[in-house]
Amino acid sequence: MRVLITGATGAIGSALADTLLARGDEVVGLTRDPAKARPKNPTVSWHAWQATTERPPEEALENVDAVVNLIGEEINQRLTDSAKRRIRESRITASHNLLQGIEASDTTPKVFVGSSAIGYYGDRGESMLDEDSQPGDGFMADIPVEWEAEQRGAESLGMRLVLVRTGLVLSSESGLLKQLLPPFKMGVGGPLGSGDQYMSWIHLDDEVGLIVWALDDDRVSGVINATAPNPVTNKEFSKALGKAIGRPAILPTPKAAVALLRGNELAELVTGSARVIPRRAQDLGYSFRYPDLDPALRDLLVS
Ligand SMILES: NC(=O)c1ccc[n+]([C@@H]2O[C@H](COP(=O)([O-])OP(=O)(O)OC[C@H]3O[C@@H](n4cnc5c(N)ncnc54)[C@H](OP(=O)(O)O)[C@@H]3O)[C@@H](O)[C@H]2O)c1
């Protein structure tokens, strides 16, 4: 299979590219800077794409069987107006340009795996949330709602569409763990805010596993939550993280301090609660490699 990946230099995109290449697929990668991307993974066929201002190059789309859309400006930054604009454009405008490029091309891929995020659900306390739950409020919920709506255009172009609503991805090199580990290693990490809020996490291997499964299995379409079957509270997460690195998690970080550091919307995201269940993946028979947090953290943090 020839798979086009946008955001192929990112944490999820590069792990996905490695997995596909290892099983014999061809990978076409789109990036703003091929010269930087190429040395890191020379087996990918790289093409330059300024995603927010143009369609992808025609030659990148030639004979592509599947598209995985993983582009997106980093969320974890101070959420100024210009950061919000970049976050929005790199998801919604970029998806629009991508689909316009596919429409204009001679190739119609069979499947389009698009991205979304569990920010969709907003701050929802202890309620169990599945793919049919209603969206929440605020910037972090509005972006996934618009992003999903834009990517739904893939269906009208005749592609099977899967929208992956991703949770907090745990990997040893990036994302949440990279942010949380330094204070924990210094012995000052602990629950954020009340610690009662739910964190719907997923091991990077399962994030990639779900995308590959969505590419391969024609029964998969529509929204799938990419979260482990057992979300935990922030208190439980902090305890498990402290245990995995041999440091107890004792000092709570108040919500106000998180807000001061990062900007209010992000504080909502890390102190807000979303207890998300991967109902559709489980119903369709996807088998999670890491359903529970302790083994996931051990795999990532204990060498
Ligand atoms: N990781 C998570 O916990 C998580 C959770 C929920 C949803 N997601 C979503 O899943 C997707 C992939 O996540 P990831 O963690 O792999 O992301 P990532 O490591 O931050 O990589 C995203 C890629 O998007 C491109 N990009 C970033 N800012 C851009 C901009 N302003 N304009 C154009 N391109 C830009 C970059 O590619 P180049 O620099 O090569 O152009 C980058 O490699 C993202 O859309 C993210 O929102 C991730």
Side-chain angles (χ1 to χ4, degrees), residues 7 9-13 31-32 51-52 70-73 86 90-91 115-117 147 166-169:
T9 58
I12 301 171
T31 171
R32 288 168 294 182
T52 57
L70 289 171
I71 206 165
E73 166 90 15
R86 289 193 303 276
S90 63
R91 290 173 173 75
S115 285
S116 180
W147 195 12
T166 296
L168 300 163
V169 178

Side-chain angles (χ1 to χ4, degrees), residues 66-78:
V67 174
V68 184
N69 186 24
L70 289 171
I71 206 165
E73 166 90 15
E74 173 71 79
I75 294 277
N76 187 18
Q77 57 177 298
R78 183 170 280 282

Side-chain angles (χ1 to χ4, degrees), residues 13-31:
S14 55
L16 174 65
D18 288 344
T19 300
L20 293 172
L21 290 166
R23 69 177 203 171
D25 291 321
E26 283 176 68
V27 175
V28 180
L30 296 181
T31 171

Side-chain angles (χ1 to χ4, degrees), residues 60-94:
L61 288 161
E62 267 168 28
N63 302 320
V64 159
D65 300 297
V67 174
V68 184
N69 186 24
L70 289 171
I71 206 165
E73 166 90 15
E74 173 71 79
I75 294 277
N76 187 18
Q77 57 177 298
R78 183 170 280 282
L79 293 176
T80 59
D81 286 348
S82 64
K84 283 184 179 178
R85 199 192 64 245
R86 289 193 303 276
I87 287 170
R88 206 171 171 284
E89 288 180 349
S90 63
R91 290 173 173 75
I92 293 139
T93 313

